[in-house]
Amino acid sequence: MSRKPVHLAVYDTLADWETGHATAWLARDGYEIRTVAADSTDLVTTIGGMRVKPDLTLAELRPEDSSLLILPGADLWDTGDDLAPFARTARAFLDAGVPVAAICGATAGLAREGLLDDRAHTSAVSFYLAATGYKGGERYVDADAVIDGGLITAGPTEPVAFAREILGLLGAFEGEKLDAWYRLFHDSDPAAFEVLNS
């Protein structure tokens, strides 16, 4: 069965550690990972200094051509409106019934876009999102990762929980295998390795 690619947003100051588990395991499961920049395919530099050559721009991205849009955190989410086009793209994806996953600062961008007003969600801490002036404070959940209405959210310290929700949503792992994957990478449970590889 042919699968649509997973699209990973890339921009300067992207937090390298937040999406690696998700993208690596999706790729191992047969998903093509394509990187998307705002308006140029010039190199972007992550917060860790890695240089990434984007595959396409937001203008070229269509929800119907994607399995998922992943929005990593980045310093730029909190220093201006440079990344607002990614939040608007997330709205288009959700409106089209295509899931979105946002972690760390990307959750604040989605809050500013109004996408967390009517969905259960999480982030670093509740007051971080409250500072955006959004109207969804009562829907905030103090959890590692939350999925609601096709939107996955997580805080910056939870890349493994974030990946678990993504892998489960896209069927890379299910049931006992998904639980084992999480126990192995989150809890360092050696017994989980045997279950995962059985």
Side-chain angles (χ1 to χ4, degrees):
M1 182 177 82
S2 177
R3 292 174 164 169
K4 295 177 182 177
V6 168
H7 290 90
L8 172 66
V10 293
Y11 21 74
D12 287 335
T13 74
L14 177 155
D16 309 59
W17 64 91
E18 293 177 343
T19 62
H21 283 287
T23 55
W25 287 94
L26 286 173
R28 289 185 89 169
D29 193 52
Y31 282 94
E32 178 188 6
I33 308 299
R34 302 204 68 209
T35 53
V36 184
D39 55 14
S40 165
T41 55
D42 291 343
L43 291 174
V44 300
T45 305
T46 71
I47 204 166
M50 289 197 314
R51 295 164 57 106
V52 178
K53 175 88 168 113
D55 294 312
L56 68 159
T57 66
L58 285 176
E60 300 169 298
L61 177 63
R62 301 181 323 157
E64 60 267 28
D65 297 331
S66 185
S67 290
L68 172 73
L69 175 63
I70 302 175
L71 300 175
D75 292 344
L76 290 178
W77 283 111
D78 296 321
T79 58
D81 293 329
D82 290 351
L83 302 185
F86 288 96
R88 289 192 293 274
T89 299
R91 176 179 294 283
F93 266 60
L94 293 168
D95 287 349
V98 181
V100 173
I103 187 168
C104 189
T107 62
L110 297 190
R112 290 184 198 97
E113 182 65 20
L115 294 173
L116 305 184
D117 290 351
D118 300 316
R119 291 177 174 87
H121 60 275
T122 195
S123 184
V125 288
S126 60
F127 56 83
Y128 170 64
L129 292 184
T132 69
Y134 85 129
K135 298 176 176 60
E138 291 184 3
R139 305 294 309 267
Y140 186 89
V141 180
D142 189 14
D144 294 344
V146 173
I147 183 168
D148 186 18
L151 177 62
I152 297 168
T153 52
T157 61
E158 298 300 335
V160 179
F162 184 61
R164 176 192 59 202
E165 297 304 322
I166 291 170
L167 297 173
L169 180 69
L170 294 186
F173 292 113
E174 297 175 331
E176 183 181 57
K177 294 256 187 185
L178 182 61
D179 178 63
W181 181 90
Y182 184 72
R183 286 188 294 115
L184 180 62
F185 288 98
H186 188 266
D187 303 328
S188 300
D189 179 356
F193 181 81
E194 192 172 316
V195 175
L196 189 59
N197 289 288
S198 63

